[in-house]
Amino acid sequence: MANPFKRLFSREPTQKRFAVVGSDKELQETLATLGYTTLDKSPEVVTAVSAIARLVASMSIHLMQNTDHGDLRQVNGLSRLADIDPCHSMTRANFYEWVVRTALLDGGGNAFVLPVTADGYIDELRPMPGASAVSDSVGGYTVRTTNGREYQPNEVLHFAVNPSYSQPWRGRGYTVLLKDVADNIKQARATETGFLKTKWKPSIIVKVDALTDEFSSPEGRKKLLDSYFETADAGEPWLIPADQFDVQQVKPLTLQDLALADFVELDKRSVAAILGVPAYLLGVGDYDEREWQNFVNATVKPIAQNIAQEMTRKLLTSRDLYFRFNPRSLMNYDLKTLADIGDAQYVRGIMTGNEVRDWLGMPPVDGLDRRVLLENYIPADMVGNQKKLNPNGSENGGQDAD
């Protein structure tokens, strides 16, 4: 039998007999998240951006005209192009969703669209995937497509998000702000996956005499397990030598012990704060109506306004015309609230009956196109004919016969 004290007091490096969890190659490969990963591979970022893009795409866009009596909506071929059929190869909703998603995520803060003309009129708005802004020597820029063709800025629609300080015409997006947070979320997900897949989660630890020669190799340890611990039937007791084995049951480490949930929730809230979306859209927290209304007003509307302003200055030549998105459909109103608002505006003569029906998604009917006021709901232009407005309560100024 080998002398155990010779090994204990030897100056030679002790041979490693057991694999340490932290140095396990399989575990390290499972948890490794090396290399650059684009933001479109982060589910949290994609979810937030998609929510913004879908909301912007769901809003109708109106062509408005300034008049002496207020701004009036115009319906013509140009308004149809912007609101119904902007691109021949995709639907209107997909077109505006592509613009927003590209500007916020895939395009790094920039999305380009080429107005295509036919017979002197704008025929469609064609997306330009992969196009980029290239600086020139005079402080401006040109738009370069993937095939190398260049356009001047006034020839394309350039939708920029989060403009750069040194190059205000270029959008920066949120890549820099989201990169570290997305990496943390990715690492947490890899840690969770590796924790669930790794084999280093023993519920029973068996302490044995490691100085024996037969236990110094994997084959010897396998033989030992087969000899003493492998049983034919479930629940069959183990029979082991009393002096060579010490069996202990331990509680394995859980994901709660690693506090991954807390870190992931914090990172999700960071993504929500950077992109300006409610945290509950990313699975954190509960729905809050005021938070939703703030999301629409502070995040969705500015992005939609940016798109409308770019289309106005590049597509319209008349100074009294402009495009405007209609955000009212995004506000979280239930049917009862809409009905109450419509009733109140109707009896005050502010809205017609058909305008109220339009709010509720109902078709117009005959006889509801005139404004009425409270007091028998008479037409607005006949309010002065009421008897109570005359001095003696009669229509002829008190000259009625006895």
Side-chain angles (χ1 to χ4, degrees):
M1 180 177 179
N3 184 1
F5 297 99
K6 181 178 180 181
R7 292 185 55 200
L8 291 176
F9 293 98
S10 174
R11 295 181 179 273
E12 298 178 358
T14 304
Q15 182 181 1
K16 294 181 180 180
R17 296 290 184 178
F18 306 99
V20 182
V21 174
S23 62
D24 179 62
K25 182 178 180 180
E26 178 184 355
L27 182 60
Q28 290 180 352
E29 293 177 351
T30 303
L31 300 183
T33 58
L34 301 178
Y36 174 73
T37 302
T38 57
L39 291 179
D40 59 358
K41 298 299 189 297
S42 174
E44 289 75 15
V45 176
V46 172
T47 299
V49 171
S50 297
I52 299 173
R54 286 194 300 268
L55 290 178
V56 173
S58 66
M59 288 189 292
S60 60
I61 182 170
H62 300 164
L63 176 62
M64 307 298 296
Q65 182 178 16
N66 301 125
T67 67
D68 295 336
H69 302 286
D71 296 347
L72 300 178
R73 182 180 179 183
Q74 301 297 318
V75 179
N76 51 35
L78 189 58
S79 66
R80 178 180 177 85
L81 171 75
D83 189 46
I84 298 178
D85 189 22
C87 181
H88 297 337
S89 59
M90 57 198 309
T91 63
R92 172 223 186 271
N94 286 343
F95 172 79
Y96 287 106
E97 185 172 348
W98 178 88
V99 169
V100 177
R101 179 187 170 91
T102 302
L104 291 177
L105 190 60
D106 303 324
N110 303 275
F112 299 95
V113 173
L114 177 66
V116 180
T117 60
D119 299 329
Y121 296 94
I122 301 176
D123 186 55
E124 69 167 328
L125 304 178
R126 185 174 300 170
M128 304 172 65
S132 59
V134 181
S135 303
D136 57 25
S137 58
V138 293
Y141 72 102
T142 58
V143 179
R144 182 177 300 172
T145 63
T146 53
N147 59 9
R149 184 173 179 179
E150 292 188 354
Y151 294 89
Q152 295 300 316
N154 60 351
E155 295 179 307
V156 300
L157 298 178
H158 180 189
F159 305 104
V161 175
N162 192 19
S164 170
Y165 296 113
S166 58
Q167 299 174 328
W169 42 264
R170 184 194 301 274
R172 296 184 303 168
Y174 301 97
T175 303
V176 177
L177 298 176
L178 290 172
K179 182 180 181 301
D180 293 338
V181 181
D183 288 343
N184 292 340
I185 295 177
K186 179 185 176 183
Q187 181 62 64
R189 187 175 294 108
T191 302
E192 180 180 356
T193 302
F195 183 85
L196 295 176
K197 288 183 177 181
T198 181
K199 62 184 179 181
W200 299 108
K201 294 185 298 181
S203 58
I204 295 180
I205 294 180
V206 180
K207 182 168 63 177
V208 299
D209 184 6
L211 300 180
T212 60
D213 293 335
E214 64 178 357
F215 197 61
S216 61
S217 63
E219 294 78 9
R221 293 192 292 272
K222 178 63 176 174
K223 180 179 179 181
L224 183 66
L225 291 173
D226 294 340
S227 300
Y228 294 100
F229 301 101
E230 290 290 340
T231 58
D233 299 325
E236 182 179 349
W238 292 351
L239 300 177
I240 58 177
D243 298 333
Q244 297 182 3
F245 299 95
D246 182 12
V247 181
Q248 297 180 0
Q249 182 177 359
V250 297
K251 180 181 178 181
L253 190 65
T254 64
L255 290 174
Q256 186 175 2
D257 298 327
L258 298 178
L260 281 180
D262 296 335
F263 289 113
V264 170
E265 178 178 345
L266 181 61
D267 289 333
K268 286 185 177 181
R269 290 187 181 276
S270 299
V271 172
I274 292 173
L275 292 175
V277 303
Y280 64 82
L281 290 179
L282 304 183
V284 180
D286 300 323
Y287 168 79
D288 185 90
E289 182 176 354
R290 290 179 299 178
E291 188 177 6
W292 174 266
Q293 310 291 14
N294 181 71
F295 164 55
V296 173
N297 290 321
T299 301
V300 179
K301 286 177 61 176
I303 293 177
Q305 187 176 20
N306 185 21
I307 296 175
Q309 290 176 352
E310 178 69 2
M311 294 175 63
T312 296
R313 73 190 192 98
K314 295 286 184 66
L315 300 181
L316 302 179
T317 57
S318 176
R319 293 185 178 275
D320 60 351
L321 294 177
Y322 67 95
F323 286 110
R324 182 187 69 182
F325 278 89
N326 180 23
R328 186 177 60 82
S329 61
L330 303 183
M331 308 308 290
N332 193 20
Y333 298 132
D334 55 28
L335 188 60
K336 183 179 184 303
T337 302
L338 287 176
D340 292 341
I341 296 175
D343 291 343
Q345 302 304 309
Y346 176 68
V347 299
R348 289 170 172 81
I350 299 176
M351 298 176 64
T352 66
N354 279 330
E355 288 175 334
V356 176
R357 290 176 63 87
D358 181 64
W359 269 46
L360 303 178
M362 303 171 64
V365 297
D366 295 336
L368 290 182
D369 288 326
R370 300 180 68 183
R371 293 189 303 112
V372 300
L373 297 177
L374 193 60
E375 186 67 28
N376 298 328
Y377 300 102
I378 64 176
D381 55 359
M382 298 179 62
V383 174
N385 296 335
Q386 300 178 87
K387 291 183 177 181
K388 69 178 184 179
L389 297 181
N390 295 319
N392 296 321
S394 62
E395 295 184 4
N396 59 4
Q399 301 300 322
D400 292 341
D402 293 337

